[in-house]
Amino acid sequence: MPIYQAPLRDYQFVLNELLNIYQRTELKGFDEIDADLADAILQGVADFTTEVMLPLNGSGDVEGCKLVDGKVIAPKGFADAYKQYVDNGWATLTCDPEYGGQGLPECIGVFATEMKTATNMAFAMYPGLTHGAYAAIHAHGSDALKQKYLEKLVSGEWTGTMNLTESHAGTDLALLRTKAVEAGEGLFAISGEKIFISSGDHDLAENIIHLVLARLPDAPEGVKGISLFAVPKIMVNADGSLGEANSLCAAALEHKMGIHGNSTCVMNFDAAIGELIGEPHQGLKAMFTMMNQARLGVGVQGLGVSEIAYQNALAYAKDRIQGRGLSGVKDPSQAADPILVHGDVRRMLMAQKSFNEGARALIGQQALWLDEAERHPDAAKAKAANKLAALFTPIVKGFITDRGFNACVDAQQVFGGHGYIHEWGMEQFVRDIRIAMLYEGTNGVQALDLVGRKLMGDKGATLMVWSEMVKTLIGENMANDAMKPYLTGLMDASRDLEKATQFLAVNAPKNPDILGAGSMPYMQILGITVLAWMWTRSAVTALAALESGTEDKAFYERKLKTAQFYMSYWTVQTRSLRKQVESSSELLTQLEEADFDL
C-alpha cells in the first residue's frame, strides 16, 4: 500500500508565516482561531485520512461501485468510513455555525481537503460535492430551503450532487433539455437525463440532495433560460422526517478510467419533485457558486494526488538500487547505488517537490482571498479580494491540475516498470487525477475563461493590480543580495507574462480567435509566474526565519533550495510559452478544416 505523511509542517509555514492568518483579526471569525487550534484540527484530519481513508483507496479502486436492483453500493468499507467522517465532525469545518458548522476559514479548510484527496480522492468526492451543494443553497436559497436542507448537508447526514451535463450538452449548457413544470404549492416536476454525475447515488447517507439545472416552460433560449432546482432522492416531510422516494434513479454507472470508488452515474428524473433555488432563469448564476467552489476543490485534488505520488516516488528512489553514480560509487556497502543519485531522477523529484510546495502556497493564498471576500468589513477590500480570486480560479483549477497530472506521471516514471504495475499504486494515482483536467470545465475552457472573461473582461485591470503587488515585492527586496536568485526568476517570468498579455491585447480585437489559440500557453505562463511570486515570498519568509536564529534551520534551508530550483527550472519555461502565444496563435486561426485531414 502506498505511504503518506501529511505535510503538516508546510501547512504551518503557509498559514503562520507566509500568509500570517492569525494576525488577520479584521476578518470576521479570525479572532476566534489560533495556531494551536488549527494545528490540532489539521492533525486530526491527518490521523483520520491516513488511518481510515488511505487503506480503502486501493481496495476501492479494485472493487468499484455496483448498481444492484436500482441502487448503488459503494466499495466495502466506504459506508463505515463515511459514518466515522460524519461522527468526527469533519464535514462541518468551514460551514456556517448557524446551521451547525464550525465556521473555520477556507484557508484552513483547503488543507484538510488536500489530505482527503491525497489519501482517497474517490471517497473525498462524496463530501466534496456536498459542500458545493451547501454553498449554492446557502448563497441563493430561500430561508425555507435553507432550514429544510442545510443542517443535514452541513453535518454530512445527507449528501449533495451537481447535475449539469447531458449527453448532448457538456460545456455548452445553452443546449440542455431537462424540463421543469409547476406542480403546485411552489413545487416543480423535473424530467430529463443527466450524465457524469459524481456521487449520484450511493449507500453512504440516508438522503441525497440533487442540484439540477432545467428549463421552465417560459424560459428564453440559451443560458439565460436555465433555472436551478433542489431535488431530493427521498422527499422531506414538513417536520424534517423522510417520506416517500422521489421519482428519480441512477440508471447506470459510467465505466471510467479512474476514481472507481466514486459513483459516477447516469441520472434519470421522471417528473421528480424539486424546489427552485433563487430566481427563475437565474440558475446558472446560482450553479456557478457551486462550480467555483468545486473548481477550487479540483485544484486541491491536483495538488493532493501529486503530493502523495511524490512522497512514494521519493521513498522508492531512496530504496531502489540500480547502477552507480556517474561521478563514482556513492554507497560501497551495496551492489549498486540508490537511484536517487542519478541526475534525471533528481530532476523529476525536484520538479514535483517545487511544484507541490508552490501550488500549496498559491492555494492557501487563493483561499485567503475568498475569506477576505466573504469576511472583510471593508466592502471595497472585499470586492478587490473577490476579483483576485476570480482571476486566479482558472489557474488553480487549470494550471495546477495540468502540472499536477504531469507530476504524477513523473512520479510513476521514477518507479520504472514497477510504476506500471497496480500493486505499487502509482498507476492508480495517474488514472485518478486525469479526471481533474476534464470535469468542472475542461482545462481548455479554463484557459479560455482566463483570457476571455478574466483578462479581456476588465481590460486587464485585475491583472494590473496583481502585477503591482509583484513589482512591490521585487522593489522591497532588490537591495538584498541573498534574494537575487529568486528575484531574477520572478522578473524574467513577469516580463514574458507582460509581453504575452500585450500581444493578446493588441491582436485579439482584430482577430478574436487568437484568444482561443493562445489561451493554453498563456495560462501556463501566468501559472508559472504566480507560483514564482509565491516562491519569492516564501524565500523572503525563510531567510527572515534563518536570520532570526530559528531552531528549525533544516526546514528553511530546504525551502530556499527548493525555491532556487523552481526559479532555475520552471521560470525559464515562460519564454518558450510566450513564443508559442506570439508565433503560433495566428497561424492556428488561419488553417482550413481540410488542413487537419490526413
Side-chain angles (χ1 to χ4, degrees), residues 507-522:
N507 290 280
K510 296 179 289 185
N511 183 1
D513 288 334
I514 281 179
L515 286 177
S519 60
M520 182 56 75
Y522 184 87

Side-chain angles (χ1 to χ4, degrees), residues 506-547:
V506 169
N507 290 280
K510 296 179 289 185
N511 183 1
D513 288 334
I514 281 179
L515 286 177
S519 60
M520 182 56 75
Y522 184 87
M523 182 175 75
Q524 302 297 322
I525 296 170
L526 181 54
I528 291 170
T529 306
V530 72
L531 258 64
W533 177 58
M534 297 309 303
W535 267 119
T536 302
R537 293 168 60 188
S538 296
V540 171
T541 304
L543 283 169
L546 289 170
E547 290 170 3

Side-chain angles (χ1 to χ4, degrees), residues 247-260:
S247 52
L248 60 90
C249 69
L253 286 170
E254 305 284 7
H255 301 281
K256 304 170 298 185
M257 176 180 179
I259 53 168
H260 295 155

Side-chain angles (χ1 to χ4, degrees), residues 1 51 107 120 147 183 194 393 465 468 517 521 564-565:
M1 183 180 79
E51 295 169 10
C107 58
N120 196 324
Q147 292 300 322
K194 300 288 186 177
T393 291
V465 169
E468 287 302 314
Q564 193 165 352
F565 178 84

Side-chain angles (χ1 to χ4, degrees), residues 470-471 473-475 477-497 528-529 531-533 535-537 539-540 543 560 563-575:
V470 174
K471 291 176 183 177
L473 176 65
I474 293 170
N477 292 279
M478 280 296 290
N480 186 350
D481 288 342
M483 282 298 300
K484 286 184 178 178
Y486 317 105
L487 294 176
T488 300
L490 176 60
M491 289 188 292
D492 288 346
S494 297
R495 279 192 290 268
D496 287 323
L497 175 63
I528 291 170
T529 306
L531 258 64
W533 177 58
W535 267 119
T536 302
R537 293 168 60 188
V540 171
L543 283 169
L560 289 172
Q564 193 165 352
F565 178 84
Y566 182 88
M567 296 302 180
S568 65
Y569 182 80
W570 283 90
T571 61
V572 297
Q573 299 174 34
T574 58
R575 185 175 185 275

Side-chain angles (χ1 to χ4, degrees), residues 15-330:
L15 295 172
N16 301 14
E17 302 171 66
L18 186 62
L19 302 179
N20 203 18
I21 70 164
Y22 307 114
Q23 304 304 313
R24 299 297 306 275
T25 53
E26 79 277 13
L27 302 179
K28 183 180 178 181
F30 272 52
D31 58 339
E32 299 175 6
I33 59 170
D34 57 26
D36 290 341
L37 175 61
D39 289 350
I41 290 170
L42 293 174
Q43 180 65 64
V45 176
D47 293 341
F48 179 81
T49 54
T50 54
E51 295 169 10
V52 179
M53 291 176 61
L54 182 60
L56 296 174
N57 194 36
S59 60
D61 177 61
V62 172
E63 181 182 348
C65 297
K66 297 180 176 65
L67 182 60
V68 180
D69 297 329
K71 297 180 180 180
V72 175
I73 301 172
K76 183 179 179 181
F78 272 45
D80 288 341
Y82 187 76
K83 184 178 185 304
Q84 293 181 57
Y85 180 86
V86 171
D87 290 346
N88 290 343
W90 300 129
T92 68
L93 292 181
T94 59
C95 297
D96 189 341
E98 182 178 347
Y99 302 100
Q102 298 184 42
L104 289 173
E106 192 67 38
C107 58
I108 294 175
V110 288
F111 295 138
T113 301
E114 182 194 337
M115 290 183 277
K116 288 182 284 185
T117 58
T119 52
N120 196 324
M121 179 175 164
F123 179 92
M125 289 172 65
Y126 291 103
L129 270 295
T130 302
H131 190 74
Y134 151 82
I137 295 174
H138 187 269
H140 301 282
S142 65
D143 289 341
L145 211 59
K146 292 176 184 178
Q147 292 300 322
K148 187 173 187 177
Y149 291 124
L150 287 190
E151 187 174 325
K152 296 289 189 180
L153 288 172
V154 167
S155 70
E157 294 172 76
W158 297 351
T159 62
T161 71
M162 178 166 56
N163 290 248
L164 287 77
T165 306
E166 300 176 6
S167 58
H168 57 281
T171 299
D172 191 355
L173 292 173
L175 301 176
L176 73 80
R177 298 172 185 159
T178 299
K179 297 186 181 300
V181 296
E182 291 191 37
E185 300 181 351
L187 302 176
F188 296 83
I190 315 298
S191 298
E193 180 184 83
K194 300 288 186 177
I195 64 171
F196 304 161
I197 307 306
S198 300
S199 312
D201 191 43
H202 53 77
D203 57 348
L204 306 188
E206 60 183 359
N207 203 6
I208 303 172
I209 312 304
H210 299 283
L211 269 59
V212 184
L213 287 180
R215 291 187 182 280
L216 291 164
D218 61 344
E221 294 294 324
V223 295
K224 294 182 179 180
I226 298 173
S227 299
L228 181 63
F229 300 87
V231 185
K233 175 182 177 180
I234 308 295
M235 299 299 294
V236 181
N237 297 322
D239 62 359
S241 62
L242 295 180
E244 298 180 351
N246 208 347
S247 52
L248 60 90
C249 69
L253 286 170
E254 305 284 7
H255 301 281
K256 304 170 298 185
M257 176 180 179
I259 53 168
H260 295 155
N262 190 266
S263 53
T264 308
C265 300
V266 176
M267 297 298 301
N268 282 350
F269 297 88
D270 185 12
I273 299 301
E275 296 170 85
L276 185 66
I277 299 175
E279 298 298 319
H281 318 314
Q282 299 296 313
L284 206 58
K285 177 182 177 182
M287 183 59 84
F288 264 104
T289 298
M290 187 174 187
M291 288 186 70
N292 286 334
Q293 186 82 31
R295 285 172 177 172
L296 172 60
V298 173
V300 177
Q301 288 177 341
L303 168 61
V305 181
S306 177
E307 174 65 29
I308 191 171
Y310 166 73
Q311 290 187 19
N312 282 271
L314 175 61
Y316 185 84
K318 289 180 177 180
D319 183 68
R320 176 72 167 174
I321 59 170
Q322 291 286 291
R324 292 295 190 185
L326 295 180
S327 60
V329 175
K330 305 300 180 186

